[in-house]
PDB file of all heavy atoms in Angstrom:
ATOM      1  N   TRP A  12    -203.181  -5.406 137.514  1.00 44.00           N
ATOM      2  CA  TRP A  12    -202.491  -4.167 137.792  1.00 44.00           C
ATOM      3  C   TRP A  12    -201.166  -4.482 138.444  1.00 44.00           C
ATOM      4  O   TRP A  12    -201.081  -5.286 139.336  1.00 44.00           O
ATOM      5  CB  TRP A  12    -203.321  -3.294 138.732  1.00 44.00           C
ATOM      6  CG  TRP A  12    -202.791  -1.930 138.784  1.00 44.00           C
ATOM      7  CD1 TRP A  12    -203.184  -0.893 138.011  1.00 44.00           C
ATOM      8  CD2 TRP A  12    -201.761  -1.431 139.630  1.00 44.00           C
ATOM      9  NE1 TRP A  12    -202.469   0.224 138.317  1.00 44.00           N
ATOM     10  CE2 TRP A  12    -201.582  -0.079 139.314  1.00 44.00           C
ATOM     11  CE3 TRP A  12    -200.964  -1.967 140.592  1.00 44.00           C
ATOM     12  CZ2 TRP A  12    -200.648   0.724 139.928  1.00 44.00           C
ATOM     13  CZ3 TRP A  12    -200.038  -1.175 141.215  1.00 44.00           C
ATOM     14  CH2 TRP A  12    -199.891   0.153 140.881  1.00 44.00           C
ATOM     15  N   THR A  21    -196.755   3.583 133.126  1.00 80.00           N
ATOM     16  CA  THR A  21    -196.071   3.438 134.413  1.00 80.00           C
ATOM     17  C   THR A  21    -196.143   4.716 135.232  1.00 80.00           C
ATOM     18  O   THR A  21    -196.458   4.677 136.424  1.00 80.00           O
ATOM     19  CB  THR A  21    -194.597   3.030 134.198  1.00 80.00           C
ATOM     20  OG1 THR A  21    -194.570   1.819 133.465  1.00 80.00           O
ATOM     21  CG2 THR A  21    -193.881   2.844 135.515  1.00 80.00           C
ATOM     22  N   GLU A  22    -195.853   5.855 134.608  1.00 79.00           N
ATOM     23  CA  GLU A  22    -195.857   7.123 135.344  1.00 79.00           C
ATOM     24  C   GLU A  22    -197.235   7.431 135.924  1.00 79.00           C
ATOM     25  O   GLU A  22    -197.367   7.845 137.072  1.00 79.00           O
ATOM     26  CB  GLU A  22    -195.414   8.257 134.418  1.00 79.00           C
ATOM     27  CG  GLU A  22    -195.171   9.558 135.129  1.00 79.00           C
ATOM     28  CD  GLU A  22    -194.569  10.610 134.221  1.00 79.00           C
ATOM     29  OE1 GLU A  22    -193.745  10.266 133.361  1.00 79.00           O
ATOM     30  OE2 GLU A  22    -194.947  11.784 134.387  1.00 79.00           O
ATOM     31  N   GLU A  23    -198.274   7.200 135.135  1.00 80.00           N
ATOM     32  CA  GLU A  23    -199.637   7.447 135.595  1.00 80.00           C
ATOM     33  C   GLU A  23    -200.019   6.508 136.733  1.00 80.00           C
ATOM     34  O   GLU A  23    -200.646   6.914 137.704  1.00 80.00           O
ATOM     35  CB  GLU A  23    -200.641   7.301 134.450  1.00 80.00           C
ATOM     36  CG  GLU A  23    -200.533   8.377 133.393  1.00 80.00           C
ATOM     37  CD  GLU A  23    -199.496   8.068 132.324  1.00 80.00           C
ATOM     38  OE1 GLU A  23    -198.725   7.083 132.475  1.00 80.00           O
ATOM     39  OE2 GLU A  23    -199.431   8.821 131.343  1.00 80.00           O
ATOM     40  N   ARG A  24    -199.633   5.249 136.623  1.00 81.00           N
ATOM     41  CA  ARG A  24    -199.950   4.267 137.657  1.00 81.00           C
ATOM     42  C   ARG A  24    -199.231   4.596 138.966  1.00 81.00           C
ATOM     43  O   ARG A  24    -199.815   4.508 140.043  1.00 81.00           O
ATOM     44  CB  ARG A  24    -199.574   2.863 137.205  1.00 81.00           C
ATOM     45  CG  ARG A  24    -200.438   2.352 136.087  1.00 81.00           C
ATOM     46  CD  ARG A  24    -199.851   1.066 135.530  1.00 81.00           C
ATOM     47  NE  ARG A  24    -200.496   0.702 134.299  1.00 81.00           N
ATOM     48  CZ  ARG A  24    -201.485  -0.169 134.221  1.00 81.00           C
ATOM     49  NH1 ARG A  24    -201.925  -0.769 135.283  1.00 81.00           N
ATOM     50  NH2 ARG A  24    -202.025  -0.447 133.055  1.00 81.00           N
ATOM     51  N   LEU A  25    -197.969   4.984 138.873  1.00 82.00           N
ATOM     52  CA  LEU A  25    -197.228   5.349 140.074  1.00 82.00           C
ATOM     53  C   LEU A  25    -197.808   6.608 140.710  1.00 82.00           C
ATOM     54  O   LEU A  25    -197.894   6.707 141.930  1.00 82.00           O
ATOM     55  CB  LEU A  25    -195.747   5.547 139.757  1.00 82.00           C
ATOM     56  CG  LEU A  25    -194.960   4.282 139.431  1.00 82.00           C
ATOM     57  CD1 LEU A  25    -193.534   4.639 139.027  1.00 82.00           C
ATOM     58  CD2 LEU A  25    -194.962   3.308 140.588  1.00 82.00           C
ATOM     59  N   ALA A  26    -198.229   7.564 139.887  1.00 82.00           N
ATOM     60  CA  ALA A  26    -198.839   8.787 140.417  1.00 82.00           C
ATOM     61  C   ALA A  26    -200.141   8.453 141.137  1.00 82.00           C
ATOM     62  O   ALA A  26    -200.439   9.016 142.192  1.00 82.00           O
ATOM     63  CB  ALA A  26    -199.087   9.786 139.293  1.00 82.00           C
ATOM     64  N   TRP A  27    -200.920   7.531 140.595  1.00 83.00           N
ATOM     65  CA  TRP A  27    -202.202   7.166 141.201  1.00 83.00           C
ATOM     66  C   TRP A  27    -202.002   6.500 142.560  1.00 83.00           C
ATOM     67  O   TRP A  27    -202.715   6.783 143.520  1.00 83.00           O
ATOM     68  CB  TRP A  27    -202.982   6.239 140.273  1.00 83.00           C
ATOM     69  CG  TRP A  27    -204.325   5.881 140.824  1.00 83.00           C
ATOM     70  CD1 TRP A  27    -205.455   6.627 140.742  1.00 83.00           C
ATOM     71  CD2 TRP A  27    -204.658   4.712 141.569  1.00 83.00           C
ATOM     72  NE1 TRP A  27    -206.481   5.988 141.393  1.00 83.00           N
ATOM     73  CE2 TRP A  27    -206.013   4.802 141.910  1.00 83.00           C
ATOM     74  CE3 TRP A  27    -203.939   3.598 141.968  1.00 83.00           C
ATOM     75  CZ2 TRP A  27    -206.673   3.821 142.633  1.00 83.00           C
ATOM     76  CZ3 TRP A  27    -204.590   2.621 142.696  1.00 83.00           C
ATOM     77  CH2 TRP A  27    -205.941   2.746 143.013  1.00 83.00           C
ATOM     78  N   VAL A  28    -201.020   5.622 142.660  1.00 84.00           N
ATOM     79  CA  VAL A  28    -200.816   4.869 143.895  1.00 84.00           C
ATOM     80  C   VAL A  28    -200.032   5.678 144.943  1.00 84.00           C
ATOM     81  O   VAL A  28    -200.054   5.356 146.116  1.00 84.00           O
ATOM     82  CB  VAL A  28    -200.120   3.519 143.589  1.00 84.00           C
ATOM     83  CG1 VAL A  28    -198.641   3.663 143.397  1.00 84.00           C
ATOM     84  CG2 VAL A  28    -200.424   2.497 144.649  1.00 84.00           C
ATOM     85  N   ASN A  29    -199.383   6.763 144.532  1.00 83.00           N
ATOM     86  CA  ASN A  29    -198.577   7.590 145.436  1.00 83.00           C
ATOM     87  C   ASN A  29    -199.488   8.481 146.272  1.00 83.00           C
ATOM     88  O   ASN A  29    -199.666   9.658 146.010  1.00 83.00           O
ATOM     89  CB  ASN A  29    -197.580   8.430 144.637  1.00 83.00           C
ATOM     90  CG  ASN A  29    -196.609   9.169 145.514  1.00 83.00           C
ATOM     91  OD1 ASN A  29    -196.511   8.895 146.703  1.00 83.00           O
ATOM     92  ND2 ASN A  29    -195.895  10.105 144.935  1.00 83.00           N
ATOM     93  N   ASP A  30    -200.053   7.911 147.306  1.00 81.00           N
ATOM     94  CA  ASP A  30    -201.048   8.595 148.123  1.00 81.00           C
ATOM     95  C   ASP A  30    -200.982   8.020 149.534  1.00 81.00           C
ATOM     96  O   ASP A  30    -200.774   6.831 149.714  1.00 81.00           O
ATOM     97  CB  ASP A  30    -202.432   8.350 147.512  1.00 81.00           C
ATOM     98  CG  ASP A  30    -203.530   9.128 148.177  1.00 81.00           C
ATOM     99  OD1 ASP A  30    -203.689   9.010 149.405  1.00 81.00           O
ATOM    100  OD2 ASP A  30    -204.251   9.842 147.471  1.00 81.00           O
ATOM    101  N   THR A  31    -201.193   8.875 150.517  1.00 81.00           N
ATOM    102  CA  THR A  31    -201.134   8.408 151.908  1.00 81.00           C
ATOM    103  C   THR A  31    -202.237   7.405 152.225  1.00 81.00           C
ATOM    104  O   THR A  31    -202.099   6.615 153.157  1.00 81.00           O
ATOM    105  CB  THR A  31    -201.235   9.586 152.894  1.00 81.00           C
ATOM    106  OG1 THR A  31    -202.436  10.294 152.639  1.00 81.00           O
ATOM    107  CG2 THR A  31    -200.053  10.506 152.768  1.00 81.00           C
ATOM    108  N   LYS A  33    -203.286   5.134 150.076  1.00 85.00           N
ATOM    109  CA  LYS A  33    -203.112   3.958 149.213  1.00 85.00           C
ATOM    110  C   LYS A  33    -201.805   3.263 149.583  1.00 85.00           C
ATOM    111  O   LYS A  33    -201.760   2.487 150.533  1.00 85.00           O
ATOM    112  CB  LYS A  33    -203.148   4.383 147.752  1.00 85.00           C
ATOM    113  CG  LYS A  33    -204.507   4.945 147.349  1.00 85.00           C
ATOM    114  CD  LYS A  33    -204.507   5.451 145.942  1.00 85.00           C
ATOM    115  CE  LYS A  33    -205.860   6.086 145.648  1.00 85.00           C
ATOM    116  NZ  LYS A  33    -205.845   6.901 144.486  1.00 85.00           N
ATOM    117  N   LEU A  34    -200.761   3.564 148.877  1.00 85.00           N
ATOM    118  CA  LEU A  34    -199.485   2.882 149.060  1.00 85.00           C
ATOM    119  C   LEU A  34    -198.907   3.053 150.458  1.00 85.00           C
ATOM    120  O   LEU A  34    -198.367   2.120 151.038  1.00 85.00           O
ATOM    121  CB  LEU A  34    -198.482   3.396 148.026  1.00 85.00           C
ATOM    122  CG  LEU A  34    -197.113   2.744 148.005  1.00 85.00           C
ATOM    123  CD1 LEU A  34    -197.239   1.272 147.666  1.00 85.00           C
ATOM    124  CD2 LEU A  34    -196.219   3.439 147.013  1.00 85.00           C
ATOM    125  N   TYR A  35    -199.035   4.228 151.024  1.00 85.00           N
ATOM    126  CA  TYR A  35    -198.375   4.499 152.302  1.00 85.00           C
ATOM    127  C   TYR A  35    -199.197   4.087 153.525  1.00 85.00           C
ATOM    128  O   TYR A  35    -198.807   4.347 154.647  1.00 85.00           O
ATOM    129  CB  TYR A  35    -197.945   5.963 152.364  1.00 85.00           C
ATOM    130  CG  TYR A  35    -196.886   6.204 151.324  1.00 85.00           C
ATOM    131  CD1 TYR A  35    -197.210   6.724 150.086  1.00 85.00           C
ATOM    132  CD2 TYR A  35    -195.575   5.826 151.556  1.00 85.00           C
ATOM    133  CE1 TYR A  35    -196.243   6.900 149.110  1.00 85.00           C
ATOM    134  CE2 TYR A  35    -194.602   5.990 150.595  1.00 85.00           C
ATOM    135  CZ  TYR A  35    -194.941   6.529 149.367  1.00 85.00           C
ATOM    136  OH  TYR A  35    -193.984   6.680 148.402  1.00 85.00           O
ATOM    137  N   ALA A  56    -193.723  -6.462 147.000  1.00 90.00           N
ATOM    138  CA  ALA A  56    -194.204  -5.688 145.854  1.00 90.00           C
ATOM    139  C   ALA A  56    -194.460  -4.237 146.249  1.00 90.00           C
ATOM    140  O   ALA A  56    -194.131  -3.310 145.503  1.00 90.00           O
ATOM    141  CB  ALA A  56    -195.481  -6.316 145.296  1.00 90.00           C
ATOM    142  N   ILE A  57    -195.027  -4.034 147.433  1.00 90.00           N
ATOM    143  CA  ILE A  57    -195.283  -2.673 147.925  1.00 90.00           C
ATOM    144  C   ILE A  57    -193.966  -1.945 148.152  1.00 90.00           C
ATOM    145  O   ILE A  57    -193.821  -0.776 147.784  1.00 90.00           O
ATOM    146  CB  ILE A  57    -196.141  -2.715 149.203  1.00 90.00           C
ATOM    147  CG1 ILE A  57    -197.551  -3.190 148.857  1.00 90.00           C
ATOM    148  CG2 ILE A  57    -196.170  -1.355 149.893  1.00 90.00           C
ATOM    149  CD1 ILE A  57    -198.406  -3.522 150.063  1.00 90.00           C
ATOM    150  N   LEU A  58    -192.995  -2.621 148.715  1.00 90.00           N
ATOM    151  CA  LEU A  58    -191.680  -2.033 148.930  1.00 90.00           C
ATOM    152  C   LEU A  58    -191.054  -1.615 147.596  1.00 90.00           C
ATOM    153  O   LEU A  58    -190.459  -0.535 147.487  1.00 90.00           O
ATOM    154  CB  LEU A  58    -190.775  -3.017 149.666  1.00 90.00           C
ATOM    155  CG  LEU A  58    -189.420  -2.502 150.093  1.00 90.00           C
ATOM    156  CD1 LEU A  58    -189.574  -1.395 151.131  1.00 90.00           C
ATOM    157  CD2 LEU A  58    -188.589  -3.629 150.668  1.00 90.00           C
ATOM    158  N   HIS A  59    -191.208  -2.466 146.590  1.00 90.00           N
ATOM    159  CA  HIS A  59    -190.684  -2.148 145.247  1.00 90.00           C
ATOM    160  C   HIS A  59    -191.377  -0.907 144.681  1.00 90.00           C
ATOM    161  O   HIS A  59    -190.717  -0.050 144.100  1.00 90.00           O
ATOM    162  CB  HIS A  59    -190.869  -3.347 144.316  1.00 90.00           C
ATOM    163  CG  HIS A  59    -190.419  -3.090 142.922  1.00 90.00           C
ATOM    164  ND1 HIS A  59    -189.099  -2.956 142.578  1.00 90.00           N
ATOM    165  CD2 HIS A  59    -191.129  -2.897 141.787  1.00 90.00           C
ATOM    166  CE1 HIS A  59    -189.010  -2.703 141.277  1.00 90.00           C
ATOM    167  NE2 HIS A  59    -190.234  -2.667 140.777  1.00 90.00           N
ATOM    168  N   LEU A  60    -192.692  -0.812 144.853  1.00 89.00           N
ATOM    169  CA  LEU A  60    -193.423   0.367 144.368  1.00 89.00           C
ATOM    170  C   LEU A  60    -192.956   1.637 145.077  1.00 89.00           C
ATOM    171  O   LEU A  60    -192.761   2.680 144.450  1.00 89.00           O
ATOM    172  CB  LEU A  60    -194.926   0.186 144.568  1.00 89.00           C
ATOM    173  CG  LEU A  60    -195.635  -0.738 143.600  1.00 89.00           C
ATOM    174  CD1 LEU A  60    -197.070  -0.960 144.055  1.00 89.00           C
ATOM    175  CD2 LEU A  60    -195.596  -0.181 142.196  1.00 89.00           C
ATOM    176  N   LYS A  61    -192.760   1.561 146.396  1.00 89.00           N
ATOM    177  CA  LYS A  61    -192.283   2.722 147.151  1.00 89.00           C
ATOM    178  C   LYS A  61    -190.906   3.163 146.649  1.00 89.00           C
ATOM    179  O   LYS A  61    -190.634   4.354 146.519  1.00 89.00           O
ATOM    180  CB  LYS A  61    -192.218   2.401 148.646  1.00 89.00           C
ATOM    181  CG  LYS A  61    -193.577   2.337 149.314  1.00 89.00           C
ATOM    182  CD  LYS A  61    -193.428   2.037 150.793  1.00 89.00           C
ATOM    183  CE  LYS A  61    -194.764   1.990 151.498  1.00 89.00           C
ATOM    184  NZ  LYS A  61    -194.622   1.704 152.929  1.00 89.00           N
ATOM    185  N   LYS A  62    -190.054   2.191 146.346  1.00 89.00           N
ATOM    186  CA  LYS A  62    -188.717   2.501 145.836  1.00 89.00           C
ATOM    187  C   LYS A  62    -188.806   3.166 144.464  1.00 89.00           C
ATOM    188  O   LYS A  62    -188.117   4.149 144.195  1.00 89.00           O
ATOM    189  CB  LYS A  62    -187.885   1.226 145.763  1.00 89.00           C
ATOM    190  CG  LYS A  62    -186.459   1.451 145.323  1.00 89.00           C
ATOM    191  CD  LYS A  62    -185.676   0.158 145.312  1.00 89.00           C
ATOM    192  CE  LYS A  62    -184.284   0.400 144.766  1.00 89.00           C
ATOM    193  NZ  LYS A  62    -183.548  -0.835 144.582  1.00 89.00           N
ATOM    194  N   GLN A  63    -189.665   2.645 143.600  1.00 88.00           N
ATOM    195  CA  GLN A  63    -189.854   3.229 142.263  1.00 88.00           C
ATOM    196  C   GLN A  63    -190.334   4.672 142.362  1.00 88.00           C
ATOM    197  O   GLN A  63    -189.853   5.542 141.643  1.00 88.00           O
ATOM    198  CB  GLN A  63    -190.881   2.423 141.476  1.00 88.00           C
ATOM    199  CG  GLN A  63    -190.313   1.511 140.444  1.00 88.00           C
ATOM    200  CD  GLN A  63    -191.417   0.920 139.600  1.00 88.00           C
ATOM    201  OE1 GLN A  63    -192.379   0.355 140.119  1.00 88.00           O
ATOM    202  NE2 GLN A  63    -191.290   1.045 138.307  1.00 88.00           N
ATOM    203  N   ILE A  64    -191.268   4.919 143.244  1.00 85.00           N
ATOM    204  CA  ILE A  64    -191.801   6.262 143.407  1.00 85.00           C
ATOM    205  C   ILE A  64    -190.719   7.196 143.935  1.00 85.00           C
ATOM    206  O   ILE A  64    -190.578   8.328 143.472  1.00 85.00           O
ATOM    207  CB  ILE A  64    -193.042   6.255 144.310  1.00 85.00           C
ATOM    208  CG1 ILE A  64    -194.208   5.647 143.535  1.00 85.00           C
ATOM    209  CG2 ILE A  64    -193.386   7.658 144.796  1.00 85.00           C
ATOM    210  CD1 ILE A  64    -195.447   5.404 144.348  1.00 85.00           C
ATOM    211  N   ALA A  65    -189.935   6.735 144.891  1.00 85.00           N
ATOM    212  CA  ALA A  65    -188.862   7.565 145.447  1.00 85.00           C
ATOM    213  C   ALA A  65    -187.847   7.943 144.376  1.00 85.00           C
ATOM    214  O   ALA A  65    -187.332   9.061 144.365  1.00 85.00           O
ATOM    215  CB  ALA A  65    -188.178   6.835 146.592  1.00 85.00           C
ATOM    216  N   GLU A  66    -187.579   7.039 143.437  1.00 84.00           N
ATOM    217  CA  GLU A  66    -186.606   7.302 142.372  1.00 84.00           C
ATOM    218  C   GLU A  66    -187.139   8.276 141.321  1.00 84.00           C
ATOM    219  O   GLU A  66    -186.366   8.997 140.708  1.00 84.00           O
ATOM    220  CB  GLU A  66    -186.219   5.994 141.686  1.00 84.00           C
ATOM    221  CG  GLU A  66    -185.386   5.077 142.557  1.00 84.00           C
ATOM    222  CD  GLU A  66    -185.194   3.703 141.948  1.00 84.00           C
ATOM    223  OE1 GLU A  66    -185.819   3.391 140.907  1.00 84.00           O
ATOM    224  OE2 GLU A  66    -184.425   2.919 142.536  1.00 84.00           O
ATOM    225  N   THR A  67    -188.443   8.298 141.114  1.00 78.00           N
ATOM    226  CA  THR A  67    -189.007   9.113 140.024  1.00 78.00           C
ATOM    227  C   THR A  67    -189.773  10.333 140.518  1.00 78.00           C
ATOM    228  O   THR A  67    -190.304  11.082 139.710  1.00 78.00           O
ATOM    229  CB  THR A  67    -189.961   8.264 139.161  1.00 78.00           C
ATOM    230  OG1 THR A  67    -191.030   7.782 139.980  1.00 78.00           O
ATOM    231  CG2 THR A  67    -189.234   7.094 138.534  1.00 78.00           C
ATOM    232  N   TYR A  68    -189.827  10.544 141.825  1.00 74.00           N
ATOM    233  CA  TYR A  68    -190.635  11.628 142.385  1.00 74.00           C
ATOM    234  C   TYR A  68    -190.097  12.995 141.979  1.00 74.00           C
ATOM    235  O   TYR A  68    -188.904  13.250 142.045  1.00 74.00           O
ATOM    236  CB  TYR A  68    -190.668  11.525 143.908  1.00 74.00           C
ATOM    237  CG  TYR A  68    -191.470  12.623 144.562  1.00 74.00           C
ATOM    238  CD1 TYR A  68    -192.850  12.608 144.505  1.00 74.00           C
ATOM    239  CD2 TYR A  68    -190.854  13.672 145.200  1.00 74.00           C
ATOM    240  CE1 TYR A  68    -193.599  13.605 145.091  1.00 74.00           C
ATOM    241  CE2 TYR A  68    -191.587  14.678 145.795  1.00 74.00           C
ATOM    242  CZ  TYR A  68    -192.964  14.642 145.734  1.00 74.00           C
ATOM    243  OH  TYR A  68    -193.692  15.643 146.307  1.00 74.00           O
ATOM    244  N   LYS A  69    -191.007  13.850 141.550  1.00 71.00           N
ATOM    245  CA  LYS A  69    -190.675  15.232 141.215  1.00 71.00           C
ATOM    246  C   LYS A  69    -191.532  16.124 142.094  1.00 71.00           C
ATOM    247  O   LYS A  69    -192.749  15.990 142.120  1.00 71.00           O
ATOM    248  CB  LYS A  69    -190.979  15.519 139.742  1.00 71.00           C
ATOM    249  CG  LYS A  69    -190.201  14.686 138.773  1.00 71.00           C
ATOM    250  CD  LYS A  69    -190.673  14.940 137.367  1.00 71.00           C
ATOM    251  CE  LYS A  69    -190.158  13.846 136.464  1.00 71.00           C
ATOM    252  NZ  LYS A  69    -190.965  13.667 135.283  1.00 71.00           N
ATOM    253  N   ASP A  70    -190.906  17.049 142.782  1.00 68.00           N
ATOM    254  CA  ASP A  70    -191.639  17.955 143.654  1.00 68.00           C
ATOM    255  C   ASP A  70    -192.117  19.149 142.842  1.00 68.00           C
ATOM    256  O   ASP A  70    -191.337  20.018 142.488  1.00 68.00           O
ATOM    257  CB  ASP A  70    -190.764  18.400 144.813  1.00 68.00           C
ATOM    258  CG  ASP A  70    -191.514  19.240 145.828  1.00 68.00           C
ATOM    259  OD1 ASP A  70    -192.745  19.339 145.708  1.00 68.00           O
ATOM    260  OD2 ASP A  70    -190.874  19.779 146.725  1.00 68.00           O
TER     261      ASP A  70
END
Side-chain angles (χ1 to χ4, degrees):
W12 193 92
T21 302
E22 189 173 323
E23 292 86 351
R24 291 170 192 263
L25 289 175
W27 182 82
V28 80
N29 187 13
D30 186 305
T31 57
K33 295 176 184 164
L34 183 62
Y35 294 97
I57 291 169
L58 186 65
H59 177 71
L60 284 172
K61 286 181 179 180
K62 183 178 176 187
Q63 257 188 307
I64 287 172
E66 290 171 353
T67 60
Y68 179 74
K69 299 174 195 156
D70 186 8

